[in-house]
Structures are given as structure tokens and as C-alpha cells.
Amino acid sequence: MVSEILIEIVTAIGRFLLNPLLYIVIIFAIFLGYRRVKQERKYFNRRIIWGWTELIGQWKDGWLYALLISLISIVAGLTVPKEFLIILIVISIVALVLYLINALSPIVTMGIATLAIWAMSYYNWTFSWWIFSLKGSDLEDGAIVTITILAGLCVIAEGLLIRRAAMKVSTPSIEKTKRGMQAIVYRTKNVWVLPIFFVMPGDAISAVLPYWPLFTIGDSSFALVLFPLIIGFAKLSRKELPVIKLPKIGRSVLLLGELILIGGLAAYFKPMIGFIVLGVGAIIRIIISIYFAQQDKTDHYAVAPSTKGAIIAAVLPDSPAEKMGLLAGECIRKVNGKSIFTENELYEALQLNAAHCRLEVLDRNNEIRLTQHVIYSNDHYRIGLLLAEPREI
């Protein structure tokens, strides 16, 4: 039994590596990093965040959530139809190709896949291509319960990722305001991969891939599939900094995931609840995106040039500014006792004491604090600050 399960796991990993969605999403992450760095160089003449951050975060940020969902899926025996996963692959690829990042919320992709399977069953549609054939199945025979529960778990993971990981690639850019001035906006684009083990009925796979090894639990046959579930998130922040805005979005999505999970458990007693929960859940997730997008359709900017001093647009990683605890959105009023408003004035003031810099900062709560740092010879000749000031773009 143990050897058969191990063989099944190894085979599932092999099928995972043959999944075209895996390589498309990797290329997409590389493209996001390239495009972001290009944008940073356009507006600030330098790279702010490492170009491979999106690709590394794509796997690093979500592996723990994927492991937990996989354990629940396997231990609870949450089986899903083969057709569901195939349609999910197609939907995810289409969303990536069309650059519809926010459409990659699990409740949206899983909801559409469920609707497609229901329509195929209701209208008796079948599709065949190569060795694969798709046909509708009766989701009320248990599948709608497992799909809804898995959707709830994945949306919970989405909310946690937005709260904790999305800010890693929030990058500033310059936007012209309605008054013709320049202000700072922040763009966040993430695509995470959660490699999740799904359980599928053995007969469903053997009908298409008869060489797929099966293992037996009790009197039923099952097959394991390691599936790259894609979660996407994109946000443009104007009115509030990403560090403030994104946790709010994450909490809303997390709450939605918990409600979907409860609905999935309730669907065990009445399957129709599962269909309703998936449909309403997808609509609510879209409303959440629209609601927070509408909040940023404003002429009020969290970061813009100010008469109070030099406003920080971004802090470069591993820089003296980061070591001083400076944050985007804070206002530098004085450097070495001299009032400053522009980047040139900042570095002129630094020359007053080339080996040591003392800053008077107005933080996000409009409270004054002092910070200082010794500048060593191996430090960047600039302290790692990007300021909100008019620039040639």
C-alpha cells in the first residue's frame, strides 16, 4: 500500500511538470518582472525591486497554503471530476493570455468551471481533442460539495496572500493629476502558484489514461493529481498607500473565503446551496474589486509633492534609508539641520556631513521623529530614497 501511494505521488508530480499551464504562468511572472523594471527605469532611472521578485514570490509565498489545502483535500477525500480540472486549466490560460489578472481569483475560475460542467451536462454537450474527451457530469452527486469547499479554502489563501505578500511587488510610478501636476501611484501585480494535490475518482482517469497508476483506500479507487492552481491579484493605489490599502482588501477576501467554506459544508445537506454559494461568491469577489477600484478614482493622492518637505515615494531595499527605518509616504523636513524639498537639496544637505546624516521626519501620522545613520564608503552614494517631485518622463 505504501509503495503504491508513493508511486502515485511521484506520478502526480510528473503530470504536474507536463502541465502546459505551469510553464505559461512562469513565463507570465518573468514578463511581469521585466515590465515592472522597465517602468521603474522609465520614471526613476533605476530599478527599485529585483527583476526576479515576481517569479520567486510566485512559488515562495503560497507553498504553505498549498500544503495545508492538499492535506485537507487528501485526508477528507475531496474528489473533483477530471473535466473540472481540465476546464480550470483552459480558463487560467485564457486569463493569463488576455492579461486578466484579477479574473484569476479562485472563486471566479472555479465558478466558471463549475458552470461549464453544469451546462455540458444540462445540454448534453461533449468535446473531444487528442486523447481527451470532456462531457458533463452530475455535480449534485457529491462533486459540488467538494468543489465549493476547495473554492472556499483557496479564497482564504487568496486573502492571506493579498494581506501578507502582495506588497512585495508594489512599485511606484508617476501619474499626471487632473490639475496638471505629478503625483505617485503604486501598481501591484501578483500571480501565485499553489501546487495542490487534488483527489480524483480512479475510473475517471483510467478511462482516458489507462496507464495512470491507482491506489486503493477502502473499497474505492482514487488517483492523485498535483495541480498548479493560479491566483492573480492586481491593484492600482492612489488614495492610500499599498501598506494600508492591501490589508483591507485581503481581509475582505478572507472573510468571503470563510463564508464560501461554510456554504460548502452546508451544501453537504442540500447540494443546491453549493451552486448558489459559488455564483454569489464570484459576484461578491467582483464587487470587492470594483469597490476598492472606485475608491482610487480620485484626485486625492497619498503621495505627492508637498510644501512641508520632501515626500518619500519609495525606499530602495538594503539601502541606508531602509536601515534608518524610512517609509514611503513620510516627509523629510530637514537633513543635517537644513530644510529640504527636492532630491538635489537632499543630497546637498548630506554634503554638510558626508560621513553622517541626521534627518527630521514627519511620519504618516504627522508626528515628528529624528533618525540618523552613518554613511560608510561602501554605501551607495545616494542613501536610497526616491522622492515625489516633478520629473521629466
Side-chain angles (χ1 to χ4, degrees):
M1 169 66 80
V2 175
S3 61
E4 292 177 352
I5 293 177
L6 291 176
I7 292 174
E8 178 67 19
I9 293 174
V10 172
T11 305
I13 295 174
R15 301 303 177 193
F16 174 80
L17 296 175
L18 293 176
N19 193 324
L21 176 59
L22 174 66
Y23 300 98
I24 292 174
V25 75
I26 288 175
I27 294 172
F28 189 82
I30 295 173
F31 170 74
L32 284 181
Y34 166 78
R35 189 172 181 180
R36 174 184 50 75
V37 171
K38 186 177 179 180
Q39 172 187 287
E40 292 169 350
R41 295 190 185 280
K42 172 185 176 181
Y43 292 118
F44 301 100
N45 297 318
R46 72 198 73 185
R47 185 198 72 195
I48 300 174
I49 306 173
W50 191 37
W52 297 99
T53 303
E54 284 85 352
L55 180 60
I56 293 175
Q58 182 181 82
W59 298 91
K60 181 180 177 182
D61 297 335
W63 71 268
L64 180 58
Y65 305 127
L67 177 61
L68 293 174
I69 295 173
S70 295
L71 289 175
I72 295 173
S73 173
I74 295 172
V75 172
L78 301 179
T79 60
V80 294
K82 170 202 68 175
E83 292 82 4
F84 175 77
L85 294 183
I86 294 177
I87 295 174
L88 202 55
I89 291 174
V90 174
I91 294 170
S92 299
I93 291 176
V94 170
L96 289 170
V97 171
L98 297 181
Y99 207 69
L100 301 174
I101 298 178
N102 281 327
L104 288 166
S105 172
I107 187 60
V108 175
T109 54
M110 290 185 173
I112 295 174
T114 303
L115 177 62
I117 293 177
W118 173 85
M120 291 170 62
S121 176
Y122 186 81
Y123 293 102
N124 198 25
W125 292 339
T126 59
F127 300 93
S128 297
W129 179 75
W130 195 31
I131 62 173
F132 297 100
S133 62
L134 294 179
K135 62 180 181 179
S137 58
D138 185 6
L139 295 177
E140 294 188 14
D141 189 21
I144 188 62
V145 177
T146 59
I147 290 174
T148 308
I149 291 175
L150 287 169
L153 292 172
C154 293
V155 173
I156 289 174
E158 179 189 10
L160 293 172
L161 285 168
I162 294 173
R163 287 181 62 181
R164 300 176 180 178
M167 287 178 290
K168 293 180 181 179
V169 289
S170 292
T171 185
S173 61
I174 297 174
E175 182 176 272
K176 184 171 289 187
T177 69
K178 296 178 182 178
R179 300 178 182 178
M181 308 296 287
Q182 288 185 356
I184 302 296
V185 298
Y186 295 87
R187 302 179 188 276
T188 305
K189 294 178 181 177
N190 298 84
V191 176
W192 298 287
V193 177
L194 271 61
I196 298 175
F197 278 103
F198 286 112
V199 181
M200 296 177 59
D203 292 338
I205 282 198
S206 62
V208 176
L209 303 173
Y211 50 87
W212 190 290
L214 303 176
F215 66 90
T216 301
I217 300 177
D219 296 326
S220 302
S221 293
F222 298 92
L224 279 181
V225 177
L226 183 59
F227 185 83
L229 182 78
I230 310 301
I231 297 178
F233 174 74
K235 183 72 181 77
L236 176 66
S237 302
R238 291 187 181 93
K239 190 176 181 180
E240 291 181 306
L241 290 162
V243 69
I244 299 173
K245 174 72 72 176
L246 300 190
K248 293 180 181 179
I249 301 175
R251 284 193 294 270
S252 300
V253 175
L254 179 60
L255 176 59
L256 174 62
E258 293 170 350
L259 294 175
I260 294 171
L261 179 59
I262 294 172
L265 296 174
Y268 178 80
F269 303 98
K270 192 170 182 60
M272 182 57 64
I273 295 177
F275 290 101
I276 296 173
V277 168
L278 288 176
V280 174
I283 293 172
I284 293 176
R285 181 63 185 91
I286 294 172
I287 291 174
I288 290 174
S289 296
I290 294 174
Y291 172 76
F292 283 102
Q294 288 295 326
Q295 286 188 339
D296 281 300
K297 288 187 176 181
T298 174
D299 201 35
H300 176 73
Y301 293 80
V303 178
S306 172
T307 56
K308 296 179 180 180
I311 305 297
I312 301 174
V315 178
L316 300 182
D318 302 319
S319 65
E322 185 181 64
K323 296 172 185 176
M324 283 189 282
L326 298 177
L327 301 171
E330 293 186 325
C331 174
I332 302 175
R333 299 180 62 179
K334 293 182 180 180
V335 176
N336 290 333
K338 182 180 178 181
S339 298
I340 62 106
F341 298 91
T342 66
E343 190 171 297
N344 288 336
E345 292 176 350
L346 166 66
Y347 292 111
E348 286 176 3
L350 284 176
Q351 300 306 312
L352 298 177
N353 189 342
H356 198 85
C357 64
R358 296 183 300 276
L359 278 66
E360 179 182 304
V361 181
L362 196 65
D363 66 16
R364 295 168 180 168
N365 297 319
N366 288 320
E367 296 179 357
I368 296 177
R369 64 183 176 88
L370 302 176
T371 185
Q372 57 186 0
H373 182 70
V374 176
I375 299 181
Y376 300 98
S377 58
N378 60 344
D379 279 332
H380 196 280
Y381 77 99
R382 299 182 183 273
I383 62 173
L385 286 174
L386 299 179
L387 303 181
E389 62 178 1
R391 298 173 182 269
E392 295 291 334
I393 56 176

